[in-house]
Coordinates of all heavy atoms in Angstrom, one line a residue:
M1 N 153.7 -5.4 154.8 CA 155.1 -5.2 154.2 C 155.0 -4.3 152.8 O 154.2 -4.6 152.0 CB 155.8 -6.5 153.8 CG 157.2 -6.5 153.6 SD 157.8 -8.0 152.9 CE 157.7 -7.7 151.1
A2 N 155.7 -3.2 152.8 CA 155.7 -2.5 151.7 C 156.5 -3.0 150.5 O 157.4 -3.8 150.8 CB 156.3 -1.0 152.0
V3 N 156.0 -2.8 149.4 CA 156.7 -3.1 148.2 C 156.9 -1.9 147.3 O 156.2 -0.8 147.6 CB 156.0 -4.2 147.4 CG1 155.6 -5.4 148.2 CG2 154.6 -3.7 146.9
K4 N 157.7 -2.0 146.3 CA 158.0 -1.0 145.3 C 157.0 -1.0 144.1 O 157.1 -2.1 143.4 CB 159.4 -0.8 145.0 CG 159.8 0.3 144.2 CD 161.3 0.5 144.1 CE 161.9 0.8 145.5 NZ 162.7 1.9 145.5
C5 N 156.2 -0.1 143.9 CA 155.4 0.0 142.7 C 156.2 -0.1 141.5 O 157.1 0.7 141.2 CB 154.5 1.2 142.7 SG 153.5 1.4 141.3
T6 N 155.8 -1.2 140.6 CA 156.6 -1.2 139.3 C 156.4 -0.1 138.3 O 157.2 0.3 137.5 CB 156.2 -2.5 138.6 OG1 156.2 -3.6 139.6 CG2 156.9 -2.8 137.5
S7 N 155.3 0.7 138.6 CA 155.0 1.8 137.7 C 155.7 3.2 138.1 O 156.4 3.7 137.4 CB 153.5 2.1 137.5 OG 152.9 0.9 136.7
C8 N 155.4 3.6 139.4 CA 155.8 4.7 139.8 C 157.1 4.8 140.7 O 157.6 5.7 141.1 CB 154.7 5.6 140.5 SG 154.2 4.9 142.1
K9 N 157.4 3.5 141.1 CA 158.6 3.3 141.9 C 158.5 3.7 143.3 O 159.5 3.7 144.1 CB 159.9 4.0 141.3 CG 160.0 3.7 139.8 CD 160.3 2.4 139.5 CE 160.7 2.2 138.0 NZ 160.1 1.1 137.3
K10 N 157.3 4.2 143.8 CA 157.1 4.5 145.1 C 157.0 3.3 146.1 O 156.3 2.3 145.5 CB 156.0 5.5 145.4 CG 156.2 6.8 144.9 CD 155.0 7.5 145.1 CE 155.1 8.8 144.2 NZ 153.7 9.6 144.0
D11 N 157.4 3.3 147.4 CA 157.1 2.2 148.2 C 155.5 2.4 148.6 O 155.0 3.4 148.8 CB 157.8 2.3 149.5 CG 159.3 2.0 149.2 OD1 159.5 1.2 148.3 OD2 160.1 2.6 150.0
T12 N 154.8 1.3 148.6 CA 153.5 1.3 148.9 C 153.1 0.1 149.7 O 153.7 -1.0 149.6 CB 152.5 1.4 147.6 OG1 151.2 1.4 148.0 CG2 152.9 0.2 146.8
E13 N 152.1 0.3 150.7 CA 151.6 -0.9 151.3 C 150.2 -1.4 150.9 O 149.7 -2.4 151.3 CB 151.6 -0.5 152.9 CG 152.9 -0.4 153.4 CD 152.9 -0.3 154.9 OE1 151.7 -0.7 155.6 OE2 153.9 0.0 155.5
E14 N 149.6 -0.5 149.9 CA 148.3 -1.0 149.3 C 148.7 -1.1 147.8 O 148.9 -0.2 147.1 CB 147.4 0.2 149.5 CG 146.9 0.3 151.0 CD 145.7 1.3 151.0 OE1 145.9 2.4 150.9 OE2 144.6 0.8 151.2
Y15 N 148.6 -2.3 147.3 CA 148.9 -2.6 146.1 C 148.3 -3.9 145.5 O 147.7 -4.6 146.4 CB 150.5 -2.9 146.1 CG 150.9 -4.0 146.9 CD1 151.0 -5.4 146.4 CD2 151.4 -3.8 148.3 CE1 151.5 -6.3 147.3 CE2 151.7 -4.8 149.1 CZ 151.7 -6.1 148.6 OH 152.1 -7.1 149.3
I16 N 148.4 -4.1 144.4 CA 147.9 -5.4 143.8 C 149.1 -6.0 143.1 O 150.1 -5.4 142.6 CB 146.9 -5.3 142.7 CG1 147.1 -4.3 141.6 CG2 145.5 -4.9 143.4 CD1 147.3 -4.9 140.3
S17 N 149.2 -7.4 143.2 CA 150.3 -8.0 142.5 C 149.9 -8.9 141.3 O 148.7 -9.3 141.3 CB 151.1 -9.0 143.5 OG 150.2 -10.0 144.0
F18 N 150.7 -8.9 140.5 CA 150.3 -9.7 139.3 C 151.5 -10.2 138.7 O 152.7 -9.8 139.0 CB 149.4 -8.8 138.3 CG 150.2 -7.5 137.9 CD1 150.8 -7.5 136.5 CD2 150.2 -6.5 138.7 CE1 151.5 -6.3 136.2 CE2 150.9 -5.3 138.3 CZ 151.6 -5.3 137.1
K19 N 151.4 -11.1 137.6 CA 152.7 -11.8 137.0 C 152.8 -11.1 135.7 O 151.8 -10.9 134.9 CB 152.3 -13.2 136.9 CG 152.3 -14.0 138.3 CD 153.4 -14.9 138.5 CE 153.5 -15.4 139.9 NZ 152.4 -16.3 140.2
C20 N 154.1 -10.9 135.4 CA 154.4 -10.4 134.0 C 153.9 -11.5 133.0 O 154.2 -12.7 133.2 CB 156.0 -10.3 133.9 SG 156.5 -10.0 132.3
P21 N 153.1 -11.1 132.1 CA 152.6 -12.0 131.0 C 153.7 -12.7 130.3 O 153.4 -13.7 129.6 CB 151.6 -11.2 130.2 CG 152.1 -9.8 130.5 CD 152.6 -9.7 131.9
Q22 N 154.8 -12.1 130.3 CA 155.9 -12.6 129.3 C 156.8 -13.5 130.1 O 157.0 -14.6 129.6 CB 156.6 -11.4 128.7 CG 157.7 -12.0 127.7 CD 158.1 -10.8 126.8 OE1 157.5 -10.4 125.8 NE2 159.1 -10.2 127.1
C23 N 157.3 -13.2 131.3 CA 158.2 -14.0 132.0 C 157.7 -14.6 133.3 O 158.4 -15.4 133.9 CB 159.5 -13.3 132.2 SG 159.4 -11.9 133.4
G24 N 156.6 -14.1 133.9 CA 156.0 -14.7 135.0 C 156.6 -14.0 136.3 O 156.2 -14.6 137.3
R25 N 157.4 -13.1 136.2 CA 157.9 -12.5 137.5 C 156.8 -11.7 138.2 O 156.0 -11.2 137.5 CB 159.0 -11.5 137.1 CG 159.6 -10.8 138.3 CD 160.4 -9.6 138.0 NE 160.7 -8.8 139.1 CZ 162.1 -8.6 139.6 NH1 163.0 -8.9 138.9 NH2 162.1 -7.9 140.7
E26 N 156.8 -11.7 139.4 CA 155.8 -11.1 140.2 C 156.1 -9.6 140.1 O 157.2 -9.0 140.5 CB 155.7 -11.6 141.7 CG 154.4 -11.1 142.3 CD 154.2 -11.9 143.6 OE1 155.1 -12.3 144.3 OE2 152.9 -12.1 144.0
L27 N 155.1 -8.8 139.8 CA 155.2 -7.4 139.8 C 154.1 -6.7 140.7 O 153.0 -7.4 140.9 CB 154.8 -6.8 138.4 CG 155.8 -7.5 137.2 CD1 155.3 -7.0 135.8 CD2 157.2 -7.1 137.5
F28 N 154.3 -5.5 141.1 CA 153.4 -4.9 142.2 C 153.1 -3.6 141.6 O 153.8 -2.8 140.9 CB 154.1 -4.6 143.4 CG 154.6 -5.9 144.0 CD1 156.0 -6.3 143.9 CD2 153.8 -6.8 144.6 CE1 156.5 -7.4 144.4 CE2 154.3 -8.0 145.1 CZ 155.6 -8.3 144.9
R29 N 151.9 -3.1 141.8 CA 151.3 -1.7 141.3 C 150.5 -1.2 142.5 O 149.6 -1.8 143.0 CB 150.6 -1.8 140.0 CG 150.5 -0.7 139.3 CD 150.4 -0.7 137.9 NE 149.2 -1.5 137.5 CZ 148.7 -1.6 136.3 NH1 149.3 -0.7 135.3 NH2 147.7 -2.3 136.0
C30 N 150.7 0.0 142.7 CA 150.1 0.7 143.8 C 148.6 1.0 143.3 O 148.3 1.0 142.2 CB 150.6 2.0 144.3 SG 150.7 3.4 143.2
L31 N 147.8 1.3 144.2 CA 146.2 1.5 143.9 C 146.2 2.6 143.0 O 145.2 2.6 142.0 CB 145.4 1.5 145.1 CG 145.5 0.3 146.0 CD1 144.4 0.4 147.1 CD2 145.2 -1.0 145.2
D32 N 146.9 3.7 143.2 CA 146.9 4.8 142.3 C 147.2 4.5 140.8 O 146.4 4.8 139.9 CB 147.8 6.0 142.7 CG 147.4 6.6 144.0 OD1 146.2 6.6 144.4 OD2 148.2 7.3 144.6
C33 N 148.3 3.8 140.8 CA 148.7 3.3 139.3 C 147.6 2.4 138.7 O 147.4 2.4 137.6 CB 150.0 2.8 139.4 SG 151.4 4.0 139.7
R34 N 147.1 1.5 139.6 CA 146.1 0.6 139.0 C 144.9 1.4 138.6 O 144.4 1.0 137.6 CB 145.7 -0.4 140.2 CG 144.6 -1.2 139.7 CD 144.2 -2.3 140.9 NE 142.8 -2.8 140.7 CZ 142.6 -3.8 139.9 NH1 143.4 -4.2 139.2 NH2 141.3 -4.1 139.9
H35 N 144.6 2.4 139.3 CA 143.3 3.1 139.0 C 143.5 3.9 137.8 O 142.5 3.8 136.9 CB 143.1 4.2 140.2 CG 141.8 4.9 139.9 ND1 140.6 4.3 140.2 CD2 141.5 6.2 139.8 CE1 139.7 5.2 139.9 NE2 140.3 6.3 139.8
I36 N 144.6 4.4 137.4 CA 144.8 5.1 136.2 C 145.4 4.3 135.1 O 145.9 4.6 134.1 CB 145.8 6.4 136.5 CG1 147.2 6.0 136.9 CG2 145.2 7.3 137.4 CD1 148.1 7.1 137.0
S37 N 145.5 2.9 135.4 CA 146.1 2.0 134.5 C 147.5 2.4 133.9 O 147.8 2.4 132.7 CB 145.2 1.7 133.3 OG 144.1 1.2 133.6
A38 N 148.4 2.9 134.8 CA 149.6 3.3 134.5 C 150.4 2.2 133.9 O 150.4 1.1 134.2 CB 150.4 3.8 135.8
A39 N 151.3 2.6 132.8 CA 152.2 1.7 132.2 C 153.2 1.2 133.1 O 153.6 1.9 134.1 CB 152.8 2.4 131.0
Y40 N 153.7 0.0 132.9 CA 154.8 -0.6 133.6 C 155.8 -1.3 132.7 O 155.4 -1.7 131.6 CB 154.3 -1.5 134.7 CG 153.6 -2.8 134.2 CD1 154.3 -3.9 133.8 CD2 152.2 -2.8 133.9 CE1 153.7 -5.1 133.3 CE2 151.6 -3.8 133.4 CZ 152.4 -5.0 133.0 OH 151.7 -6.1 132.4
V41 N 157.0 -1.4 133.2 CA 158.0 -2.1 132.5 C 158.5 -3.2 133.4 O 159.0 -2.9 134.4 CB 159.1 -1.1 132.0 CG1 160.2 -2.0 131.2 CG2 158.5 -0.1 131.1
C42 N 158.5 -4.4 132.9 CA 159.0 -5.6 133.8 C 160.5 -5.4 133.9 O 161.2 -5.2 132.9 CB 158.7 -6.8 133.1 SG 159.4 -8.3 133.9
P43 N 161.0 -5.4 135.1 CA 162.4 -5.1 135.3 C 163.3 -6.4 134.9 O 164.5 -6.2 134.6 CB 162.6 -4.8 136.8 CG 161.3 -5.6 137.5 CD 160.4 -5.5 136.4
K44 N 162.7 -7.5 134.7 CA 163.4 -8.6 134.3 C 163.6 -8.8 132.8 O 164.6 -9.0 132.3 CB 162.7 -9.9 134.9 CG 163.4 -11.2 134.7 CD 162.8 -12.3 135.3 CE 163.5 -13.7 135.0 NZ 162.8 -14.8 135.5
C45 N 162.4 -8.6 132.1 CA 162.4 -8.9 130.7 C 162.0 -7.7 129.8 O 162.3 -7.8 128.6 CB 161.4 -10.1 130.3 SG 159.6 -9.6 130.3
G46 N 161.7 -6.5 130.4 CA 161.5 -5.4 129.7 C 160.1 -5.3 129.0 O 159.9 -4.4 128.4
F47 N 159.3 -6.2 129.2 CA 157.9 -6.3 128.8 C 157.2 -5.0 129.2 O 157.2 -4.6 130.5 CB 157.1 -7.4 129.3 CG 155.7 -7.5 128.8 CD1 155.3 -7.9 127.5 CD2 154.7 -7.0 129.5 CE1 154.1 -7.9 127.1 CE2 153.3 -7.0 129.2 CZ 153.1 -7.5 127.9
R48 N 156.5 -4.3 128.4 CA 155.7 -3.1 128.7 C 154.2 -3.4 128.6 O 153.8 -4.1 127.7 CB 156.0 -2.0 127.7 CG 157.3 -1.4 127.9 CD 157.6 -0.5 126.6 NE 158.8 0.1 126.7 CZ 159.1 1.3 127.3 NH1 158.0 2.0 127.8 NH2 160.3 1.8 127.3
G49 N 153.6 -3.2 129.8 CA 152.0 -3.4 129.7 C 151.3 -2.3 130.4 O 151.9 -1.4 131.0
P50 N 150.2 -2.3 130.1 CA 149.2 -1.3 130.6 C 148.6 -1.8 132.1 O 148.7 -2.9 132.3 CB 148.1 -1.2 129.7 CG 148.0 -2.7 129.1 CD 149.4 -3.3 129.1
Ligands
ZN1 ZN1 152.4 3.4 141.6
ZN2 ZN1 158.8 -9.9 132.5

């Protein structure tokens, strides 16, 4: 099942999931963004993380 990458907003089937350290919402990041440690913004609480 494809998910939307939290960093680049592309649909991806290869991703890692992790929890927002601030609110605990599940976030997804594609392997490209993981590789380059792209920044993300939690859509729920606005937390910015590397
Ligand atoms: Zn991405
Ligand atoms: Zn959050």
Side-chain angles (χ1 to χ4, degrees):
M1 191 187 95
V3 303
K4 190 165 291 226
C5 173
T6 305
S7 291
C8 68
K9 318 292 192 219
K10 289 179 192 160
D11 289 334
T12 176
E13 293 194 7
E14 292 189 285
Y15 60 88
I16 53 110
S17 64
F18 57 102
K19 295 245 169 76
C20 172
Q22 185 161 276
C23 72
R25 180 185 169 129
E26 193 168 31
L27 304 174
F28 305 99
R29 197 152 61 163
C30 71
L31 298 187
D32 285 345
C33 289
R34 175 179 158 78
H35 186 66
I36 63 173
S37 297
Y40 62 89
V41 179
C42 175
K44 185 175 175 187
C45 71
F47 178 85
R48 290 168 177 270

